[in-house]
């Protein structure tokens, strides 16, 4: 496990580092937890904080949407299991949603350091002992354990759950059809033929190819996706 000074540089395409941790659903080995699913690992600065409470309630509400896409959710907050258990009750009170996915108890910031989830330097963003809070990171990990997207938000800004779902939809659509997705794409919108596919081949693969420029070719995908 990494220390504060040994935080690995994780990039898109890196293998998600493995770790063992205590969670609200029991101890896990992260790679075993991933198995052959997509995983979204997201961190919180601290339990019983206002923005995090709204975020976890919303992720719990959307859990069936993630499950439909074969995505396992796992949260992390830099507190103990006991603290997490009490907070989950509060989240249910406040948002009406039960957090039924694991939350990692990362009081010592071990996973936070391993995943570089700490501010560079924000002296206002520390706990009572002066240790930097974890930031709001979101790691999108595919079934091969490859990190496909990383989002980082400051403590002051709650995440956008629709964007998290949209990114999963884009990644899964891209993998399945060899397409890329344009600005503000949502499922059902036109997609872009991957640059590696020649236009002649694209015309054979996709039902209708709209050539705007040789490098910008739109197509539509069947609704069932
Ligand atoms: C929050 O979740 O509301 C929060 C957590 C840490 C610092 C600031 C806000």
């Amino acid at each position: 496990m990494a220390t504060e000074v040994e935080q690995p540089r994780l990039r898109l395409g890196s293998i998600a580092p493995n770790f063992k941790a205590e969670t609200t659903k029991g101890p896990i080995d992260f790679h075993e937890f991933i198995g052959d699913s997509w995983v979204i690992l997201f961190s919180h600065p601290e339990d019983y904080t206002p923005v995090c409470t709204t975020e976890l309630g919303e992720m719990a509400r959307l859990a069936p949407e993630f499950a439909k896409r074969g995505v396992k959710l796992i949260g992390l907050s830099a507190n103990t299991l006991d603290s997490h258990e009490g907070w989950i009750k509060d989240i249910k009170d406040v948002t009406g949603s039960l957090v039924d996915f694991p939350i990692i108890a990362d009081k010592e910031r071990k996973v936070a350091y391993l995943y570089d989830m700490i501010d560079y330097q924000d002296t206002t963003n520390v706990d009572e002992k002066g240790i930097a809070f974890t930031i709001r990171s979101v790691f999108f990990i595919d079934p091969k354990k490859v990190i496909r997207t990383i989002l980082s938000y400051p403590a002051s800004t709650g995440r956008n759950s629709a964007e998290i779902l949209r990114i999963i939809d884009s990644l899964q659509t891209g993998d399945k059809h060899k397409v890329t997705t344009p600005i503000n794409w949502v499922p059902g919108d036109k997609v872009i033929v991957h640059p590696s596919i020649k236009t002649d081949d694209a015309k054979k693969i996709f039902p209708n190819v709209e050539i705007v420029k040789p490098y910008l070719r739109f197509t539509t995908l069947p609704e069932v996706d």
Side-chain angles (χ1 to χ4, degrees), residues 45 49-52 125 136 155:
T49 48
V51 177
C52 300
N125 190 26
R136 300 182 198 286

Side-chain angles (χ1 to χ4, degrees), residues 42-60 75-79 84 87-88 90-92 94-95 97 99 101 103 125 133-137 153-159:
F42 55 102
S43 57
H44 295 278
E46 179 137 76
D47 294 3
Y48 298 102
T49 48
V51 177
C52 300
T53 300
T54 62
E55 289 185 314
L56 268 170
E58 176 65 356
M59 292 302 272
L76 173 153
S77 185
N79 295 92
H84 287 357
W87 189 31
I88 286 172
D90 261 22
I91 294 165
K92 174 88 167 71
V94 173
T95 68
S97 298
V99 176
F101 49 79
I103 305 178
N125 190 26
F133 278 124
T134 45
I135 55 169
R136 300 182 198 286
S137 298
Y153 292 69
S156 56
T157 305
R159 283 161 277 214

Side-chain angles (χ1 to χ4, degrees), residues 146-199:
V146 174
I147 295 173
R148 300 288 298 276
T149 303
I150 304 172
L151 303 176
S152 301
Y153 292 69
S156 56
T157 305
R159 283 161 277 214
N160 184 324
S161 56
E163 175 64 354
I164 296 173
L165 272 175
R166 196 187 75 89
I167 291 171
I168 277 289
D169 285 334
S170 169
L171 291 169
Q172 293 186 342
T173 299
D175 284 2
K176 187 166 176 190
H177 296 285
K178 265 221 162 221
V179 293
T180 56
T181 60
I183 177 79
N184 295 339
W185 174 88
V186 288
D189 289 354
K190 286 180 202 172
V191 295
I192 296 173
V193 177
H194 195 278
S196 66
I197 300 181
K198 293 195 171 77
T199 298

Side-chain angles (χ1 to χ4, degrees), residues 24-64:
T24 50
K25 294 288 182 185
I28 59 155
D29 170 290
F30 189 53
H31 279 188
E32 280 173 19
F33 175 80
I34 296 171
D36 55 8
S37 295
W38 285 79
V39 166
I40 293 180
L41 165 65
F42 55 102
S43 57
H44 295 278
E46 179 137 76
D47 294 3
Y48 298 102
T49 48
V51 177
C52 300
T53 300
T54 62
E55 289 185 314
L56 268 170
E58 176 65 356
M59 292 302 272
R61 188 183 72 80
L62 287 174

